[in-house]
Amino acid sequence: MTVLLDLGGVLGGVVGALLQDAYGPAAVREVPPGVPLAEAVGDDGVLITTLDGEADPSAVPPSLVRLLLDHPHLRILVVEGDGRTGSLWELRPHRIALGELSPHQLIRAVGEHPPEQ
């Protein structure tokens, strides 16, 4: 599994450290500065990102549509607001509301097991 982080600052550091502890350092990498997400993602794995200004949480965010279509096996975990909630997006398409994020919930959402609902 590969986890690609598109999170900056303290939140990115915390999420990166948590996932490295769970899956190993080789499984987690960051989007290089200035590289568009479309070029940085692979065909599978998980992208963890935030979406600023995309208001409707039930609709597929326009910025993710092309990524999901170009990379059908990619899973996208969107960390929302202050980092306490999130959503998992897949091509199926459907949204799994994760509610309040905990370290366990974050690891479970990234892994192969579906998140607890």
Side-chain angles (χ1 to χ4, degrees):
M1 171 190 4
T2 301
V3 177
L4 181 64
L5 289 178
D6 182 37
L7 298 173
V10 174
L11 181 59
V14 170
V15 170
L18 176 69
L19 296 174
Q20 286 178 355
D21 286 347
Y23 298 107
V28 180
R29 61 186 178 91
E30 294 183 23
V31 175
V35 174
L37 286 179
E39 293 177 20
V41 300
D43 287 332
D44 59 7
V46 179
L47 167 66
I48 301 179
T49 190
T50 58
L51 296 177
D52 295 325
E54 297 193 32
D56 186 355
S58 63
V60 178
S63 63
L64 301 185
V65 171
R66 183 82 274 155
L67 284 175
L68 290 168
L69 291 174
D70 288 347
H71 304 280
H73 300 289
L74 181 67
R75 297 167 61 213
I76 303 173
L77 175 63
V78 177
V79 177
E80 299 164 351
D82 61 0
R84 293 185 183 263
T85 60
S87 298
L88 183 63
W89 290 92
E90 297 176 314
L91 184 59
R92 287 185 226 184
H94 74 282
R95 174 183 183 250
I96 299 172
L98 300 177
E100 188 168 333
L101 287 179
S102 66
H104 172 75
Q105 181 76 332
L106 182 70
I107 289 169
R108 191 162 174 84
V110 169
E112 295 179 17
H113 304 286
E116 297 168 353
Q117 306 237 349

